[in-house]
């Protein structure tokens, strides 16, 4: 139901803006195009997914360029609906990329797969020599934003905490990178996860990130409270929408 609802929101916008970046267009149209195309594909529109897959294939096989403003959208959709072959291709492209901006796009993509084993590989990739230390936090953070897989990012942080703390704590001279990494944890939505995170940081204190930890816990508990309060009304709304969908 929610996927169908999402497609109704973005279908008209994506259809109007299309895949072609027009010379002299407003920058807001450029941003809106990427937003609409990605979300429409993420909600399962087959036409958008096939187009992204074809553009990626043409880039790999024929060196047909993808406009820079669309590349992140194409990569993300290919990853979201891809498998091992696509993952390996992204790693190859990452190793060949000369521009750091392109490497960052690929790092964003590999964190967006919908396969548990590939996400585990992406997390290991994040702490490899191929990824700059300052980009490790963003790659892990992207997994935290990958709905259904953020628990893997949390388990990874717990299991590799000694390494991550040593690399990103204030004592290491990495500035606020550890606080930034902790900030990505705010996507959880249950009291149980808030309690677990709180227990972890009581055992493994991070003084420089104390305020960030408090904010993360507050956001998770607020989200959990909102969901408990509103879930029945939300279900009613979707039941009504299912009976009378907007076309």
């Amino acid at each position: 139901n929610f996927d169908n609802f999402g497609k109704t929101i973005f279908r008209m916008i994506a259809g109007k803006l299309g895949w072609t970046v027009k010379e002299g267009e407003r920058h807001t149209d450029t941003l809106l195009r990427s937003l609409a195309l990605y979300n429409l594909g993420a909600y399962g529109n087959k036409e958008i997914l096939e187009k992204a897959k074809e553009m990626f294939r043409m880039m790999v096989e024929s060196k047909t360029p993808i406009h820079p403003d669309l590349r992140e959208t194409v990569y993300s959709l290919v990853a979201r609906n891809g498998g091992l072959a696509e993952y390996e291709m992204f790693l190859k492209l990452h190793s060949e990329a000369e521009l750091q901006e392109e490497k960052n796009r690929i790092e964003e993509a590999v964190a967006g797969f919908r396969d548990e084993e590939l996400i585990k590989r992406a997390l290991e990739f994040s702490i490899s020599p191929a990824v700059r230390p300052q980009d490790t936090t963003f790659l892990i953070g992207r997994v935290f934003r990958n709905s259904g897989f953020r628990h893997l990012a949390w388990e990874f942080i717990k299991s590799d905490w000694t390494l991550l703390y040593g690399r990103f704590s204030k004592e290491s001279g990495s500035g606020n990178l550890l606080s930034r990494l902790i900030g990505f944890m705010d996507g959880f939505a249950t009291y149980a996860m808030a309690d677990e995170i709180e227990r972890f940081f009581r055992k493994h204190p991070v003084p420089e990130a104390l305020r960030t930890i408090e904010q993360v816990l507050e956001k998770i508990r607020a989200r959990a409270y909102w969901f408990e309060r509103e879930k029945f009304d939300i279900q009613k709304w979707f039941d009504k929408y299912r009976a009378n969908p907007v076309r």
Side-chain angles (χ1 to χ4, degrees):
N1 286 344
F2 193 79
D3 284 348
N4 290 333
F5 176 65
K7 281 184 277 191
T8 64
I9 294 175
F10 293 104
R11 185 183 296 116
M12 186 177 297
I13 302 171
K16 178 181 178 181
L17 294 174
W19 285 92
T20 304
V21 178
K22 303 172 182 65
E23 185 176 354
E25 70 180 10
R26 296 177 301 177
H27 75 281
T28 51
D29 284 345
T30 303
L31 296 173
L32 183 59
R33 176 183 293 105
S34 296
L35 176 71
L37 290 173
Y38 173 75
N39 279 283
L40 187 56
Y43 285 124
N45 182 281
K46 293 182 179 180
E47 182 180 347
I48 295 294
L49 295 175
E50 287 301 317
K51 177 66 174 178
K53 186 177 180 180
E54 177 65 12
M55 292 173 71
F56 185 71
R57 185 186 69 80
M58 292 293 290
M59 185 195 75
V60 170
E61 296 181 1
S62 308
K63 305 300 181 184
T64 303
I66 299 172
H67 194 286
D69 290 332
L70 291 173
R71 207 171 295 164
E72 184 175 329
T73 298
V74 170
Y75 288 2
S76 295
L77 289 175
V78 168
R80 186 178 178 87
N81 294 274
L84 180 59
E86 288 77 14
Y87 182 87
E88 296 289 356
M89 178 52 67
F90 277 124
L91 292 191
K92 181 175 184 294
L93 292 172
H94 188 277
S95 68
E96 295 173 349
E98 297 180 357
L99 296 177
Q100 187 58 43
E101 183 180 12
E102 179 69 359
K103 288 183 180 291
N104 291 153
R105 290 192 190 101
I106 294 168
E107 290 160 9
E108 174 91 6
V110 298
F113 278 84
R114 306 293 294 171
D115 177 276
E116 186 168 310
E117 291 306 313
L118 294 181
I119 290 298
K120 288 179 179 179
R121 288 185 59 177
L123 288 165
E124 292 296 335
F125 176 63
S126 75
I127 56 174
S128 73
V131 178
R132 298 188 308 176
Q134 61 263 45
D135 295 325
T136 296
T137 56
F138 285 106
L139 202 162
I140 298 173
R142 176 66 180 84
V143 176
F144 270 114
R145 297 293 185 251
N146 189 350
S147 177
F149 296 90
R150 59 175 59 97
H151 68 285
L152 295 179
W154 173 237
E155 293 301 321
F156 178 77
I157 284 178
K158 290 192 294 182
S159 64
D160 284 270
W161 179 250
T162 300
L163 182 151
L164 293 169
Y165 184 82
R167 186 178 292 185
F168 300 123
S169 67
K170 187 176 181 180
E171 289 85 349
S172 71
S174 296
N176 67 343
L177 288 179
L178 193 58
S179 292
R180 180 187 298 165
L181 178 61
I182 293 170
F184 287 120
M185 299 175 188
D186 65 2
F188 290 107
T190 65
Y191 291 113
M193 276 307 308
D195 293 344
E196 181 177 338
I197 291 171
E198 186 172 34
R199 287 194 300 271
F200 179 84
F201 286 114
R202 282 178 180 169
K203 186 176 181 180
H204 305 280
V206 186
E208 70 267 28
L210 182 60
R211 180 58 181 155
T212 300
I213 295 168
E214 291 175 348
Q215 290 172 338
V216 164
L217 296 175
E218 182 180 357
K219 288 178 182 178
I220 295 173
R221 287 172 174 142
R223 189 176 290 112
Y225 172 77
W226 178 88
F227 183 72
E228 287 297 317
R229 186 189 65 192
E230 304 292 343
K231 62 182 178 182
F232 294 112
D233 286 339
I234 294 170
Q235 185 60 57
K236 285 181 186 177
W237 191 93
F238 275 108
D239 288 342
K240 183 179 179 181
Y241 171 82
R242 181 170 54 183
N244 299 284
V246 177
R247 299 297 182 186

